[in-house]
Amino acid sequence: MPTIQPPATVLVTGASGYVAVPIVKELLDRGYNVRGTVRSLAKGDYLKNLFKAHEPRFQYVIVTDMSDPDAFDDAVTGVDAVAHTASPATLRAPDAQALIKPAVAGTLNILESVKKHGSSVKRVVITSSCATILQPKEGDPVFYTEADWNDHAVNEVQAKGAEVDQQHKYRASKVLAERAAWDWVEKHKDEIKFDIVTILPSFVFGPLLNETRSLSQLNESSLFFYEAIKAEKPPHLATKWFSNIVDVRDVAVAHAQAFEIEEAGGERFIAASTPFSWQTIYDALNSADPPIADIPKGTPGAPIENCAVYVSEKAQNILGVKFRSLQETAVAMVNDLREKEARWTA
Ligand code: NDP
């Protein structure tokens, strides 16, 4: 028995985000009703317009501050499941708490609201991150699975305070938010009628459905991609392992499958395709058919240095996700970004 099935209603928090909009689309395409939370009328109206072919199955509600303990009380009322994607995803935070506080509070508040007001909710799927598993390890390559936890980032934030680097701030916020969710479920397991699933995407690339009227609206991972193909990275940066790639459309499928597959309950799932360096992206784009113009060349064929592999067999086996290749994702992203860029400069 699927946990939920269409035409059930799913609440998607942070519905305006790069990762969230394809989740909304995937759910609507499967026949679900979707209620999205956004922080402004303009963001809600953009989505209303984007999904007008699905009227009236897409609705939005405004939740301006998810750190408010009652923020999601109304939003969860009457829904059958929740995808909690909202979390600050930036590497330009003034301090670690600017990320950690909303990430943890938002996660705990959605769970509390479901406990109090979401009597029909069967499952909450939380968008975590491979940032939560990236504990430093020796070796080349090294392998990461769902058994790993990146306590290192949390320790770095505690030890270095204001001096800690941006990546550790973001990683710590994701570790602490996901841990808070599992701890909360353990504490309340006898009082709740729903379970949780966490999806851990690696670095997400692929076509953008979120509003991007200017360069400044690109989310962090899209901006990384945009900048890397605009100006060739120096060799030592181009060949270094950067992360694992995952297509935003596959991340959406992983979330939707997590709702429908009963045995996914109570599990973490890495959503990742393959390791990449910027050189591997350059090579994939330069060997595409049809060819993509004006892509940096770098050092063609150079191997990835200090490679780490996020093992995603669990998502493939249990959720049935078939991850797109690096080349398919990179080509789709560059074509989409260039089309958008032509409109920015027009
Ligand atoms: P976006 O910045 O595009 O989306 C973030 C979403 O969270 C937006 O809807 C944003 O709202 C909302 N949000 C951020 N801060 C708050 C806050 N304080 N209160 C309420 N809402 C907030 O980034 P992504 O789409 O990339 O990230 C979405 C999720 O995916 C995050 O949980 C992120 O950690 C996770 N993720 C992303 C990866 C990637 O490579 N992109 C990789 C792994 C995980 P608004 O639009 O109003 O700013």
Side-chain angles (χ1 to χ4, degrees), residues 21 42 58 66 76 86 106 116 122 124 126 139 151 167 178 228 242:
V21 186
F58 176 76
M66 68 177 174
V76 301
K116 284 185 286 170
K122 320 241 172 355
V124 177
I126 296 172
D151 295 317
Q167 286 196 336
E178 193 191 335
F242 193 84

Side-chain angles (χ1 to χ4, degrees), residues 261-324:
I261 293 174
E262 177 66 37
E263 61 265 39
E267 300 288 342
R268 318 175 78 197
F269 292 97
I270 290 173
S273 174
T274 190
F276 75 94
S277 63
W278 293 114
Q279 186 63 51
T280 59
I281 303 268
Y282 297 158
D283 291 350
L285 293 173
N286 283 317
S287 63
D289 182 17
I292 313 275
D294 301 325
I295 299 295
K297 293 277 177 291
T299 316
I304 302 174
E305 287 166 34
N306 298 320
C307 188
V309 180
Y310 299 150
V311 178
S312 63
E313 274 163 25
K314 190 171 162 189
Q316 295 176 50
N317 294 337
I318 298 179
L319 300 181
V321 186
K322 195 173 176 314
F323 292 104
R324 285 171 172 81

